[in-house]
């Protein structure tokens, strides 16, 4: 139910939106009593709604250069086999829940988190098992009131369905993401920022494509919520594996600021007594203070069965976003799950 509790489309921020704030369908009809027994919670039914709050306004976003609803897009992907984590050619509810929750949340920068209630995991839906690999290489950008640098790489200029919007306001370039949030801004004559921001989003896109469907999603929570956070506010992130039995106890954590700057967060030292494998989850990150650069940050967590020492050394030496190929080269001998959490900040 892409519209969840209603069927209204509107304009909001930079694209089409979907909202459930108007209750056009009064109620769900009561099922026959032999199916709606309170002791039988419809184990054969999986309920999927686009959001957990009917009053949220959900924006369409870019997929392959066109605007789509994220829920329906990833539901179609799931039916094409991308959610089949054990590759048995059957899609069961828990596979669908893990895949759609992670993919929609990442794509929509935590503005949209589906509510999925699953029943039994058997027998599932028989699949054609058609899996199409997503491309990491190109970022679609829209440009308003300015021109891109001549040496800009790995982008495609579009008028709609963009990943990033670069718009000039007087002497500043402001950058907005696919959900209309301001990622960052910089002086219009400092061209180097264009490439760094594009490189940041290429890395995030590549990491999202490497989400390991054979492992449960990483649980990343922020008690302060997903509103815009203000200067000086303290943020308390916590991280834990989706399933402790998978043995993912070795954490790598880094942040990508709105302007693309890479900040290596964990392990805190290379390699003092404070680091080996985390012995107790959830792991509570030391409080992060909101300070410049403001805008859109993305906290990236990688949980592996063994510490990724070479990746730590590599990330600790960088301030610019690496390529997805460089990151994955350091993880080639590891079993890992990857997660990310987008959050936004402003100055006072």
């Amino acid at each position: 139910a892409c519209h969840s509790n209603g069927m209204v489309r509107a304009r909001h921020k930079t694209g089409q939106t979907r909202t459930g704030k108007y209750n056009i369908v009064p109620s769900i009809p009561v099922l026959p009593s032999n199916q709606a027994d309170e002791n039988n919670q419809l184990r054969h039914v999986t309920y999927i709604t686009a959001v957990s709050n009917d009053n949220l306004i959900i924006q369409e976003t870019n997929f392959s250069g066109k605007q789509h609803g994220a829920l329906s897009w990833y539901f179609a992907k799931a039916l094409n086999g991308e959610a089949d984590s054990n590759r048995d050619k059957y899609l069961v509810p828990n596979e669908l829940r893990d895949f759609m929750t992670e993919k929609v949340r990442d794509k929509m920068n935590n503005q949209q988190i589906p509510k999925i209630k699953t029943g039994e995991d058997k027998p599932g839906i028989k699949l054609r098992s058609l899996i199409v690999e997503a491309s990491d290489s190109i970022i679609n950008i829209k440009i308003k009131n300015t021109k891109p640098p001549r040496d800009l790489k790995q982008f495609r200029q579009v008028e709609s369905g963009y990943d990033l919007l670069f718009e000039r306001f007087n002497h500043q370039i402001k950058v907005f993401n696919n959900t209309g949030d301001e990622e960052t801004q910089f002086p219009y004559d400092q061209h180097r920022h264009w490439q760094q921001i594009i490189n940041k989003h290429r890395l995030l896109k590549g990491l999202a494509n490497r989400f390991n469907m054979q492992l449960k999603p990483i649980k990343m929570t922020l008690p302060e919520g997903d509103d815009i956070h203000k200067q000086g506010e303290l943020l308390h992130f916590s991280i834990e594996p989706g399933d402790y039995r998978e043995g993912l106890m070795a954490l790598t954590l880094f942040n990508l600021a709105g302007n693309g700057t890479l900040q290596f967060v964990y392990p805190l030292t290379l390699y003092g007594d404070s680091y080996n494998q985390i012995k107790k989850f959830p792991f509570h990150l030391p409080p992060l203070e909101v300070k410049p650069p403001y805008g859109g940050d993305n906290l990236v967590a990688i949980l592996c069965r063994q510490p990724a020492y070479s990746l730590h050394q590599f990330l600790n030496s960088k301030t610019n976003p690496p390529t997805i190929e460089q990151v994955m080269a350091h993880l080639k001998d590891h079993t890992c799950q990857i997660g990310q959490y987008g959050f936004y900040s402003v100055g006072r």
Side-chain angles (χ1 to χ4, degrees):
C2 279
H3 302 281
S4 295
N5 198 32
M7 299 177 63
V8 177
R9 294 168 67 95
R11 298 292 296 183
H12 177 66
K13 289 186 177 179
T14 57
Q16 291 284 348
T17 63
R18 301 174 179 222
T19 173
K21 66 188 295 185
Y22 300 103
N23 188 9
I24 292 177
V25 181
S27 63
I28 299 175
V30 177
L31 295 175
S33 59
N34 63 341
Q35 294 184 28
D37 188 329
E38 290 182 1
N39 296 322
N40 176 5
Q41 298 182 10
L42 300 179
R43 294 190 302 271
H44 63 293
V45 176
T46 296
Y47 299 91
I48 306 170
T49 58
V51 292
S52 57
N53 183 338
D54 284 337
N55 289 319
L56 289 179
I57 296 176
I58 298 304
Q59 183 180 351
E60 292 189 333
T61 190
N62 164 59
F63 292 97
S64 301
K66 296 182 180 180
Q67 295 293 109
H68 296 276
L71 185 85
S72 53
W73 179 269
Y74 284 114
F75 184 65
K77 290 282 188 180
L79 294 179
N80 272 344
E82 292 193 25
D84 182 16
S85 59
N86 60 7
R87 300 296 184 260
D88 65 353
K89 296 187 180 180
Y90 281 88
L91 176 65
V92 296
N94 285 345
E95 290 176 326
L96 180 67
R97 179 197 61 208
D98 292 347
F99 176 80
M100 291 184 64
T101 302
E102 182 73 11
K103 293 294 186 179
V104 173
R105 183 183 63 80
D106 280 354
K107 182 68 176 181
M108 300 304 289
N109 305 306
N110 287 320
Q111 287 193 14
Q112 180 180 0
I113 302 175
K115 185 166 82 174
I116 302 175
K117 183 178 179 181
T118 62
E120 293 179 338
D121 253 13
K122 303 281 184 182
I125 301 170
K126 177 115 174 111
L127 299 171
R128 293 179 299 164
S129 200
L130 171 64
I131 300 176
V132 180
E133 295 295 331
S135 171
D136 305 327
S137 59
I138 299 298
I139 298 297
N140 291 316
I141 69 172
K142 182 176 181 178
I143 301 170
K144 294 181 67 175
N145 305 324
T146 189
K147 294 182 179 180
R150 291 185 177 180
D151 58 350
L152 196 63
K153 301 176 181 178
Q154 303 295 341
F155 79 101
R156 179 189 299 111
Q157 190 168 342
V158 299
E159 286 302 313
S160 62
Y162 55 80
D163 300 303
L164 295 170
L165 165 64
F166 290 80
E167 184 171 2
R168 180 172 173 176
F169 294 85
N170 297 321
H171 298 291
Q172 293 289 112
I173 301 290
K174 292 187 177 182
V175 185
F176 302 89
N177 63 21
N178 63 300
T179 50
D181 297 289
E182 184 175 335
E183 286 271 312
T184 190
Q185 57 180 288
F186 56 88
Y188 77 96
D189 56 351
Q190 293 189 10
H191 292 171
R192 62 184 177 84
H193 293 290
W194 288 69
Q195 192 66 62
Q196 183 157 301
I197 294 164
I198 287 175
N199 289 348
K200 168 193 169 178
H201 283 268
R202 288 190 67 233
L203 176 59
L204 291 173
K205 185 177 180 180
L207 291 170
N209 289 341
R210 269 66 175 188
F211 175 75
N212 190 337
M213 279 302 306
Q214 297 183 23
L215 301 171
K216 293 293 183 182
I218 297 173
K219 296 178 182 177
M220 303 177 69
T221 59
L222 178 61
E224 288 77 17
D226 295 321
D227 293 331
I228 296 177
H229 305 287
K230 296 182 179 180
Q231 176 184 350
E233 185 178 348
L234 295 179
L235 305 181
H236 301 81
F237 283 96
S238 64
I239 300 166
E240 62 181 315
D243 187 339
Y244 286 73
R245 295 169 296 181
E246 293 171 344
L248 304 179
M249 307 294 284
L251 176 64
T252 301
L253 197 62
F254 63 91
N255 185 62
L256 292 167
N259 63 5
T261 302
L262 185 146
Q263 301 156 336
F264 187 49
V265 178
Y266 190 88
L268 302 175
T269 58
L270 299 177
Y271 291 96
D273 294 337
S274 63
Y275 177 78
N276 193 336
Q277 290 186 335
I278 295 175
K279 294 181 173 59
K280 183 178 180 180
F281 283 101
F283 172 71
H284 300 288
L285 192 65
L288 296 179
E289 181 181 354
V290 174
K291 56 186 178 180
Y294 304 115
D297 286 62
N298 291 82
L299 189 66
V300 176
I302 303 174
L303 276 174
C304 304
R305 288 178 179 159
Q306 299 295 328
Y309 294 117
S310 67
L311 178 62
H312 301 160
Q313 298 284 0
F314 173 70
L315 293 175
N316 194 48
S317 67
K318 295 188 68 65
T319 57
N320 296 323
T323 66
I324 182 62
E325 292 80 13
Q326 288 172 325
V327 172
M328 298 312 297
H330 291 280
L331 295 176
K332 64 180 181 179
D333 297 322
H334 293 270
T335 298
C336 305
Q337 183 59 289
I338 299 173
Q340 50 185 276
Y341 197 109
F343 60 102
Y344 299 88
S345 63
V346 294
R348 291 191 184 276

